[in-house]
Amino acid sequence: MPTPLIERGADAGVLTARQAKYLNHGRQIRDGMAHGQVTYAVMPPTMAVPMVTTSFVIATELCATPAW
């Protein structure tokens, strides 16, 4: 279940469905690690690459100079 902020971003069109999916998955992994439920020593590249890529894309889009 996405968080309200991820859901609002997707509903408002700020995030694509793909971005929202990866952000939510990353949030779940982070929550599991923070609460001791998940203990990855190393995250597999198949999980890490899409999350890192999406994070960079989102940060770039949100920090871009407005075109007004």
Side-chain angles (χ1 to χ4, degrees), residues 5-45:
L5 289 177
I6 294 173
E7 196 170 292
R8 281 178 39 195
D11 290 346
V14 175
L15 302 172
T16 65
R18 177 181 164 269
Q19 290 170 335
K21 175 184 171 185
Y22 283 126
L23 283 174
N24 190 56
H25 187 67
R27 179 195 58 79
Q28 290 173 328
I29 292 171
R30 180 255 168 230
D31 288 352
M33 289 178 160
H35 298 286
Q37 299 161 343
V38 178
T39 56
Y40 290 119
V42 176
M43 185 177 290

